[in-house]
Amino acid sequence: MIENILSVTRIQSDEKANMRVVKTVEAVEEVIAEAVAAVRKRSPQAVINVVPPGDLLLVPMDVILIMQVLVNLLENALRHAGRKDVHITIGAEKTDDGYARVTVRDDGRGVQEEILPHLFEIHPKENIRGEDASRGLGMGLSICKTIVKAHGGTIQGGNQPEGGAVFVMQLPLQQEDTHGE
Amino acid sequence: MESNPLVMVVEDEKVIRDFLAAILRNNSYRVMEFSTGGEAIKQLSTNSVDLVLLDLGLPDIDGLIVLDAIRQWSSVPIIVVSAREHEKEKVEALDRGADDYVTKPFSNAELLARVRTAMRRKAAGPLSEDARPPFIVGDMQIDYVRRQVTLVGEMVHLTPNEYKILLILSANAGRVITHETLLREIWGPYVGDNQILRVNMANIRRKLERNPGDPAYILTEVGVGYRMAEPPQENEKPI
């Protein structure tokens, strides 16, 4: 919660500078591991399965902001699953068109159909579920989208055919012919 | 009779200062509390302090300046208290001689582990590589004399640089080591590229960790560096 507010401050100061974020080349597997560790620290009962990484995926990013996106997605899965024993799976893979795709799945009740079109737009005051407004979660996803867009990436959410929610974030991989900062 | 270690807590926010002091006192440390950097520097020179917990956002002097002032004449272990998004500040503090940091919000266990590790570093002193006993954590063992790493008794084949990384991290187990320090120690001062380290670390994890995506031995401190998990300690209480 406190970190959410801090992220807003950070991204807003970036917005003034045309939404530019200061990027360093980071390993996606490290960012995922750190986000998972942060969530486990706050929710020790959380069952989070990390898919073992294949190739090393390097992405230029503001690592603290991207980590915040992943923490938000994982904590959303924990809170919205509608059950205490939810299992979350997070993994990353390379797409054919040069993106690192990070997928967060859970086996909870999924996202309500009427919320789906507005998933990333919900303002805290207009939040449909009262319980969530108090926790600032509606704010979370719109910030996530702002952060991902600032990295030239995309983020989408939906339900899996077999049940449970799924969120997919794609970030441009580092170009092969350039070197890291 | 030896007295319990004295910890100096330098933190302007009373709630956090009280919290830090309470955890430490409950674990039989003696505590001196300060809300300004100036007063802390003054008192440090007249007291035999065993460790300093230093918040970087002080009202009177920049915490980094306090760090510099202490380091000019004292090698007392210093742990910096910082917020998660201030990763540059953490790196800066480590570069200027802080031993470690804790990120808010932290647990009692985390704080106490950092304190113990930093104090042990002071007590242990340098030990030559050949005289060091094997490092054992979980299923991994590093034999410094034979320069061998085994995992559940099986030899792990590492490149010389991968072994050097393990050497540095294990010698400092429990403490964060910055990317810059590792790069400098292994590739020299002119490698400005973090990526070579990322690639080496990815390879080490694929050789050592059961799940390289969920590591148990080498933990990432995003934006700062790496921290090797510590072997369980026999004596978890101070003194």
Side-chain angles (χ1 to χ4, degrees):
Chain A
M1 185 59 188
I2 288 163
E3 281 185 18
N4 266 339
I5 294 161
L6 292 171
S7 290
V8 185
T9 331
R10 185 151 162 153
I11 197 82
Q12 276 173 347
S13 57
D14 290 324
E15 264 169 342
K16 280 171 205 145
N18 288 331
M19 289 281 305
R20 230 171 281 149
V21 283
V22 182
K23 296 178 205 164
T24 53
V25 176
E26 302 286 342
V28 174
E29 63 193 53
E30 294 188 348
V31 187
I32 290 179
E34 179 92 345
V36 168
V39 173
R40 282 185 185 145
K41 197 162 118 184
R42 276 187 276 191
S43 312
Q45 81 292 350
V47 182
I48 305 171
N49 170 40
V50 183
V51 180
D55 293 338
L56 174 65
L57 305 180
L58 294 170
V59 167
M61 64 171 91
D62 181 322
V63 66
I64 301 296
L65 290 178
I66 293 301
M67 204 181 114
Q68 188 57 50
V69 171
L70 296 179
V71 167
N72 263 289
L73 295 181
L74 292 168
E75 294 201 327
N76 278 354
L78 283 178
R79 286 167 184 164
H80 294 284
R83 49 190 274 203
K84 288 229 162 72
D85 61 340
V86 61
H87 284 60
I88 303 170
T89 304
I90 181 167
E93 63 196 329
K94 189 177 174 175
T95 69
D96 294 336
D97 54 347
Y99 285 83
R101 177 193 290 147
V102 180
T103 309
V104 180
R105 302 173 192 282
D106 67 60
D107 61 355
R109 66 185 165 196
V111 184
Q112 288 167 262
E113 288 298 325
E114 63 267 32
I115 298 179
L116 270 182
H118 312 288
L119 206 48
F120 295 94
E121 302 163 14
I122 299 175
H123 192 273
K125 284 175 194 157
E126 301 155 6
N127 202 323
I128 293 165
R129 291 182 193 148
E131 61 187 291
D132 297 339
S134 63
R135 288 165 150 173
L137 288 180
M139 189 172 67
L141 280 179
S142 62
I143 293 172
C144 287
K145 187 163 190 178
T146 310
I147 292 171
V148 173
K149 272 172 74 181
H151 284 80
T154 58
I155 184 166
Q156 287 168 322
N159 291 314
Q160 306 176 87
E162 65 272 30
V166 55
F167 284 83
V168 179
M169 172 179 76
Q170 297 204 146
L171 297 173
L173 286 165
Q174 191 205 9
Q175 302 286 310
E176 297 284 340
D177 54 329
T178 60
H179 289 283
E181 283 129 281
Chain B
M1 197 187 96
E2 207 177 326
S3 58
N4 288 3
L6 176 61
V7 179
M8 178 180 265
V9 176
V10 192
E11 163 68 71
D12 60 314
E13 282 181 64
K14 191 174 181 305
V15 180
I16 300 174
R17 193 172 64 240
D18 288 349
F19 174 69
L20 290 169
I23 297 172
L24 292 166
R25 289 203 174 100
N26 283 341
N27 286 272
S28 9
Y29 291 94
R30 290 179 297 136
V31 180
M32 290 173 82
E33 300 175 48
F34 297 97
S35 55
T36 64
E39 191 60 23
I41 294 169
K42 215 185 296 169
Q43 290 297 322
L44 190 68
S45 55
T46 55
N47 284 279
S48 173
V49 173
D50 296 293
L51 185 129
V52 178
L53 265 181
L54 175 66
D55 185 271
L56 291 181
L58 296 169
D60 59 332
I61 322 174
D62 183 342
L64 291 173
I65 307 287
V66 178
L67 189 57
D68 286 344
I70 296 174
R71 275 290 172 261
Q72 275 180 15
W73 51 272
S74 170
S75 62
V76 63
I78 302 174
I79 298 176
V80 158
V81 180
S82 181
R84 184 177 293 288
E85 77 284 3
H86 293 163
E87 72 282 1
K88 290 198 181 66
E89 185 182 82
K90 294 173 197 167
V91 173
E92 182 86 32
L94 293 167
D95 283 348
R96 293 191 187 196
D99 290 82
D100 208 336
Y101 61 81
V102 281
T103 301
K104 293 183 225 173
F106 47 81
S107 67
N108 298 10
E110 210 179 341
L111 174 74
L112 292 168
R114 296 277 192 282
V115 168
R116 278 193 299 266
T117 304
M119 291 226 192
R120 218 171 20 246
R121 196 257 321 150
K122 189 189 169 198
L127 203 62
S128 95
E129 219 171 280
D130 291 347
R132 240 191 284 157
F135 176 87
I136 304 170
V137 59
D139 291 332
M140 180 182 69
Q141 174 164 346
I142 305 174
D143 184 329
Y144 298 110
V145 180
R146 295 197 179 116
R147 302 176 72 82
Q148 279 178 359
V149 178
T150 52
L151 201 57
V152 212
E154 293 275 319
M155 270 275 279
V156 179
H157 295 280
L158 299 168
T159 67
N161 281 344
E162 289 167 3
Y163 180 75
K164 275 189 215 163
I165 293 174
L166 280 188
L167 203 62
I168 296 170
L169 291 177
S170 63
N172 295 282
R175 281 177 68 203
V176 68
I177 303 296
T178 61
H179 297 134
E180 287 67 23
T181 300
L182 285 169
L183 282 167
R184 199 173 52 235
E185 293 285 326
I186 291 160
W187 288 277
Y190 304 112
V191 179
D193 193 345
N194 254 345
Q195 266 182 70
I196 189 165
L197 180 57
R198 297 295 198 290
V199 172
N200 271 268
M201 191 54 74
N203 290 335
I204 292 174
R205 286 194 170 126
R206 278 155 181 76
K207 293 176 185 180
L208 284 185
E209 301 281 358
R210 192 160 290 152
N211 179 353
D214 201 356
Y217 301 131
I218 304 177
L219 312 173
T220 302
E221 296 277 330
V222 149
V224 181
Y226 298 102
R227 190 191 297 275
M228 172 86 78
E230 252 185 310
Q233 299 301 316
E234 285 161 33
N235 182 11
E236 286 290 286
K237 284 266 171 190
I239 310 301

